[in-house]
Amino acid sequence: MRVVLSSCRDPWLNLALENLLLLYSASEDLLLLWQSKRAVVIGRNQNIWCEISPHYLRAHHITAVRRESGGGAVYHDHGNLNFAFFSPRARYQLERNFNFLIATLHSMGIKAKAAGNSIMVGGHKISGSAFRFGRRSVMHHGTLLINANTAHLQRVLKPENHIKENTAVHSRRASVVNIATLQRMIHVKGLQAHLIERAASWQPEGGDHPPPIIEKRDELSLRGDASLQAQAHRLQSWEWLVGRSPRCIVTLESPKRKHPLYLHLTINWGIIESLALDSPLIIRREIEEALRKSLIGRRIDNSLSANLQAHFAPLAKTLPWESPYLPLLQQLMEKIRALIIPTAYTV
């Protein structure tokens, strides 16, 4: 078997590496270990607006990523250790993977146990998993919370808008805890070293298993691989990250007593299909018309901001400068712009 250690912190390159290793692991067992810069990673079939806070994402320079496997949203940073088991279909056993992880944690004084697709300690989640089945091999990957920023984790995975009619896969919220909180002597490098040291015990029972082959990959080597770069570029695209979000209705609200305003947007595959404005404002029809012209049929991407400005600037000019509607319009524009998901950050 092989143990691949990636020192690259780019989540797209590492997820691209996972995709390629799944293709090449049809004849051997393989374990990949890697870390990531700050990122929130959603599942293949999730709606991005139903899982994250775009405002918090931008404010704290957290990268949004969509992976190829299913499952729910997770948070990554330098306090996480990400793992991926690869096995030929004939040798794949989920229990074997979990037993290896739990035995390693037990050896370090962490009394963990498997619960569904998670690993728990005292009712708190320390690891979640997702899966991808290839034609000839299987990938089981996940993350171990060691010393992650739980404030970022809790806030970025909390959408700030009201959302309904979401047909996508929902994340299962759970109470989490860092392993380092339970055992202060444990750190990312230490747990990684333990997993490598015990890697031979992960191999199937029976037969004579030679020591694992350790293979190191850095960012330079990954960026030099044209096939990996192509995979990473696709994962960064708007079409993959945002455009795969199934239909939902997002409500943007400004519930002020004198001038309440609720905008209901129907978004399907990242495109605004329809809208409805609920407000007693005298100029509601003018606002709704400007919204329809600037939003209907449009992708929620960076071009949306300029389009809003083009249609609302003329409307704003018709209002007196002391009009109470001007701050409402500005607030509404900001809420719409806040839906735009950045497709890449360099941190």
Side-chain angles (χ1 to χ4, degrees):
M1 68 166 290
R2 280 191 294 156
V3 177
V4 179
L5 304 178
S6 172
S7 60
C8 176
R9 298 294 186 263
D10 186 309
W12 298 291
L13 281 173
N14 283 306
L15 288 173
L17 178 59
E18 288 186 351
N19 292 342
L20 290 184
L21 289 176
L22 181 63
L23 297 176
Y24 301 144
S25 59
S27 61
E28 66 174 333
D29 292 302
L30 192 150
L31 171 62
L32 169 67
L33 299 172
W34 60 282
Q35 289 176 268
S36 172
K37 65 182 181 181
R38 291 194 300 271
V40 56
V41 184
I42 66 172
R44 178 186 183 92
N45 302 310
Q46 293 195 293
N47 184 306
I48 195 163
W49 292 286
C50 301
E51 301 298 329
I52 70 171
S53 163
H55 173 75
Y56 196 86
L57 194 82
R58 285 189 304 275
H60 296 275
H61 292 266
I62 299 172
T63 300
V65 183
R66 184 189 296 273
R67 62 179 183 270
E68 291 272 12
S69 62
V74 294
Y75 172 75
H76 289 184
D77 65 17
H78 291 177
N80 291 42
L81 180 61
N82 304 308
F83 62 85
F85 296 104
F86 301 86
S87 302
R89 273 183 173 264
R91 289 209 297 268
Y92 168 70
Q93 291 183 331
L94 179 59
E95 185 179 9
R96 173 165 71 105
N97 298 347
F98 275 127
N99 286 345
F100 168 70
L101 291 171
I102 290 170
T104 302
L105 291 167
H106 282 187
S107 72
M108 303 180 75
I110 301 297
K111 302 303 180 183
K113 63 179 182 179
N117 294 335
S118 302
I119 297 177
M120 311 288 289
V121 178
H124 300 287
K125 187 174 180 178
I126 62 170
S127 176
S129 295
F131 310 88
R132 189 178 175 205
F133 290 77
R135 294 175 63 184
R136 296 187 297 167
S137 55
V138 180
M139 176 181 70
H140 164 200
H141 64 171
T143 184
L144 289 157
L145 291 172
I146 301 170
N147 192 26
N149 187 321
T150 54
H152 282 335
L153 181 154
Q154 292 167 1
R155 188 61 188 85
V156 76
L157 294 177
K158 185 178 180 181
E160 57 258 348
N161 299 309
H162 178 68
I163 298 167
K164 62 179 181 179
E165 296 187 22
N166 174 24
T167 59
V169 173
H170 295 259
S171 293
R172 296 180 180 180
R173 309 298 177 185
S175 173
V176 300
V177 66
N178 275 313
I179 293 172
T181 301
L182 305 170
Q183 180 62 268
R184 284 187 289 179
M185 297 300 291
I186 296 180
H187 49 83
V188 173
K189 293 301 180 184
L191 180 51
Q192 178 176 280
H194 259 68
L195 290 169
I196 296 168
E197 182 183 344
R198 299 174 57 89
S201 67
W202 173 56
Q203 297 179 86
E205 294 182 5
D208 184 21
H209 299 300
I213 298 171
I214 310 299
E215 178 183 322
K216 295 184 178 181
R217 304 292 297 271
D218 59 18
E219 185 164 347
L220 187 62
S221 67
L222 296 185
R223 292 198 181 280
D225 187 319
S227 57
L228 274 176
Q229 283 282 51
Q231 286 259 6
H233 181 73
R234 181 180 63 83
L235 293 174
Q236 291 182 61
S237 69
W238 181 92
E239 288 77 9
W240 174 256
L241 174 62
V242 181
R244 280 191 58 87
S245 296
R247 184 180 183 275
C248 71
I249 297 177
V250 178
T251 298
L252 310 179
E253 55 185 289
S254 175
K256 294 186 177 181
R257 292 183 180 179
K258 292 184 178 180
H259 307 289
L261 186 149
Y262 301 87
L263 175 63
H264 311 284
L265 297 174
T266 301
I267 306 172
N268 195 19
W269 307 121
I271 296 173
I272 300 173
E273 286 189 337
S274 62
L275 63 84
L277 187 65
D278 181 10
S279 174
L281 298 182
I282 296 174
I283 60 167
R284 183 184 67 81
R285 291 185 179 179
E286 290 88 342
I287 295 175
E288 190 167 15
E289 181 62 23
L291 286 169
R292 291 185 184 281
K293 289 179 179 178
S294 59
L295 299 180
I296 298 299
R298 302 280 182 175
R299 298 194 336 177
I300 300 181
D301 60 15
N302 288 331
S303 67
L304 196 66
S305 187
N307 205 50
L308 281 167
Q309 181 64 25
H311 287 88
F312 273 88
L315 177 60
K317 289 180 180 178
T318 65
L319 302 173
W321 69 269
E322 71 276 10
S323 170
Y325 301 138
L326 279 175
L328 280 174
L329 286 176
Q330 292 169 355
Q331 187 180 61
L332 181 60
M333 295 304 98
E334 288 305 310
K335 285 182 174 288
I336 295 171
R337 292 188 184 100
L339 293 174
I340 300 171
I341 308 290
T343 55
Y345 272 122
T346 301
V347 179

